[in-house]
């Protein structure tokens, strides 16, 4: 369902203007929360995200941990293994 809303195909594009990364993160997290409420105030659901979606899902769970039963982050952007050598 979410793929219809953001920057895909012929979907309409809601106003998006932020002045910081934190404000941008909150924009997408707030959108997920509105979606959750619109679908019947879901509780205990499974949430998955890939790449940037995984990054946003991680932020969502940090803000609303009591709504999500399981989180699946598939190659989330911005998350590195603490044991991974990130030098180029």
């Amino acid at each position: 369902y979410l793929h219809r809303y953001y920057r895909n195909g012929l979907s309409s594009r809601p106003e998006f203007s932020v002045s910081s990364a934190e404000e941008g993160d909150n924009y997408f997290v707030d959108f997920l929360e509105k979606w959750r409420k619109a679908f019947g105030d879901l509780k205990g659901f499974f949430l998955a995200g890939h790449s940037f979606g995984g990054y946003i899902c991680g932020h969502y769970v940090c803000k609303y941990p009591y709504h999500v039963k399981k989180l699946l982050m598939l190659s989330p952007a911005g998350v590195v293994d603490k044991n991974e050598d990130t030098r180029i």
Side-chain angles (χ1 to χ4, degrees), residues 11-76:
S11 64
S12 62
R13 296 194 167 122
E15 182 67 31
F16 181 73
S17 145
V18 297
S19 58
S20 70
E22 184 178 349
E23 192 178 339
D25 293 345
N26 288 333
Y27 175 86
F28 288 106
V29 168
D30 292 345
F31 175 82
L32 274 178
E33 179 59 8
K34 288 176 192 171
W35 174 85
R36 182 195 68 80
K37 288 179 180 177
F39 273 80
D41 200 23
L42 298 174
K43 300 254 191 295
F45 63 95
F46 289 59
L47 183 61
H50 173 258
S51 192
F52 182 66
Y55 173 83
I56 294 301
C57 289
H59 280 279
Y60 179 85
V61 170
C62 286
K63 189 170 182 179
Y64 300 105
Y66 40 88
H67 294 316
V68 177
K69 183 175 184 176
K70 296 281 183 180
L71 172 64
L72 180 60
M73 298 170 74
L74 305 160
S75 300

